[in-house]
Amino acid sequence: MSEDLTHPIFPIIKDLAEELHVACYVIGGYVRDRLMGRPFKDDVDILVLGSGIEFATALGEKLHTKVAVFKSFGTAMLMYQGLQVEFVGARKESYRSESRKPIVEDGTLADDQNRRDFTINAMAYSLNEASYGELVDPFQGQEDIANRIIRTPLEPGITFSDDPLRMMRAIRFATQLNFKIDAVALNAIHEQVERIKIISKERIADELNKIILAEKPSIGFKYLFDTGLLEHIFPAMQQLHGVEYIDGKGHKDNFYHTLEVLDNVAELSDDLWLRWAAIMHDIAKPATKRFDKKSGWTFHGHEDKGAKMVPKLFAELKLPLNEKMKFVQKLVLLHLRPIVLAKDIVTDSAVRRLLFEAGDDIDALMMLCHADVTTKNEFKKKKYRENFELVKQKLKDVEERDHLRNWQPPVDGDDIMKAFNIGPGRHVGMIKNAIREAILEGEIPNTRDAAFAFMIERGISLGLQQVEKA
């Protein structure tokens, strides 16, 4: 299928392969995506029967381009016309049960295809002149694409035991491609689930993020839950599952509710961290669950406790502990506020406070809250959504008038100390808080003149004396 080899690098590799009498193949994701009619990414893997590093070095000299060599991995990489091309020699691998580090030996094309994770990633196109563009598909990868199935080339128990991360990768590909995992492979994941413990949390987080960024991430989380992997990699999310009944009263299953919210957010945004906020928004419900004979099940304070849990969970999952974590934490803390506004008559004061606390993240917060409406009662859903539109309009109106997004006080501590000739102390803090509250309550406009006049009035009421202007 030489029509799939459209990039100009391929005929150049073909000519060099003939010159050096070396067999070369393009293998893996590029082949899969071309056969599926998907746009291929800006990277491609070239398999060399021999030394991948030597072949890449020779190609780099021919193209007058720099070659990055990774001796410990036996690979080399170069860039050509926007494409990242990685070269590796064919190899066969064997593993010890306690280690993820394989014993690697030179191998044949068949050896290399045997060690690949899935049949759809084991297909190769020949880059040699006599067979240029011919597909080598020993495990019926094309058939699995047609049947939308994830299967391993060898017995899946061996494949997953050798590299337990492949269990996560199977679920990731099933989620990204909307494929099913073969029943035999699925059973092998159940049996090998404990071996995920030998994989670093960083590599697990990378696969988890790819699942979360899929078009419908709930597919992956259902697989993670059903196979038992979720309990090992993210137990706090696992604990959301289940419904408890007392006196015939039950609560909703917060695990499946969270997946609905996640899918709803995924329809609205590609932002990974907004999707993480959807995952975390009810994470503290198991810890705050209480039963009251009159009102039934409650989860009071789950937003506050959930926000406090976010840094610890991010650390455990090896996710970044920077502004991305703080963004998720803020949305978890505030996620009930717009819903409360949507239930009640919306006051300017309540809207100002929400704008003040959410700042530039107000749009993301409203998106999360919109996604959080998962009731099956169409009347309730319609009412909530209509009320949300009113809240959004009110937010827009108040912001245009009062400019409270990422609010900075129009009068600061220096102004207060100069006006009353005082040093830092409790009076400065009291006046600053009073100014903020007066603006948020709408008692004074958010302008310097109004805030300055209010500052003088409040200072005098506290027994301070204004410095006379010269």
Side-chain angles (χ1 to χ4, degrees), residues 261-278:
V261 177
L262 177 57
D263 281 350
N264 288 345
V265 166
E267 289 179 10
L268 301 170
S269 172
D270 292 331
D271 186 325
L272 173 63
W273 306 107
L274 179 53
R275 294 183 184 203
W276 266 109

Side-chain angles (χ1 to χ4, degrees), residues 68-132:
V69 174
F70 308 97
K71 281 187 179 178
S72 57
F73 295 100
T75 64
M77 186 268 287
L78 59 79
M79 296 292 297
Y80 184 72
Q81 293 192 15
L83 187 69
Q84 179 179 295
V85 190
E86 187 164 340
F87 298 83
V88 63
R91 57 193 182 183
K92 57 182 176 181
E93 296 177 345
S94 56
Y95 291 81
R96 295 177 294 273
S97 63
E98 74 283 357
S99 174
R100 252 294 299 126
K101 292 182 179 177
I103 301 165
V104 180
E105 303 169 77
D106 290 342
T108 63
L109 172 62
D111 288 330
D112 204 275
Q113 288 178 302
N114 283 341
R115 74 176 186 82
R116 298 277 160 172
D117 52 7
F118 309 114
T119 60
I120 60 171
N121 294 334
M123 298 178 287
Y125 283 134
S126 170
L127 292 179
N128 289 96
E129 192 163 21
S131 54
Y132 188 71

Side-chain angles (χ1 to χ4, degrees), residues 148-194:
R148 306 182 72 78
I149 198 88
I150 301 293
R151 248 182 354 105
T152 57
L154 302 178
E155 200 277 307
I158 297 169
T159 298
F160 296 142
S161 179
D162 283 350
D163 184 355
L165 189 67
R166 287 172 172 173
M167 298 186 287
M168 294 281 298
R169 283 171 59 80
I171 292 170
R172 188 249 291 183
F173 279 115
T175 310
Q176 289 177 328
L177 303 175
N178 198 14
F179 280 21
K180 299 286 186 188
I181 300 176
D182 169 65
V184 179
L186 206 53
N187 188 56
I189 295 175
H190 279 283
E191 293 174 352
Q192 299 286 342
V193 69
E194 292 280 340

Side-chain angles (χ1 to χ4, degrees), residues 243-258:
V243 178
E244 192 175 345
Y245 287 89
I246 294 180
D247 297 341
K249 293 179 181 178
H251 54 82
K252 66 187 171 189
D253 189 309
N254 290 303
F255 175 71
Y256 291 108
H257 164 71
T258 295

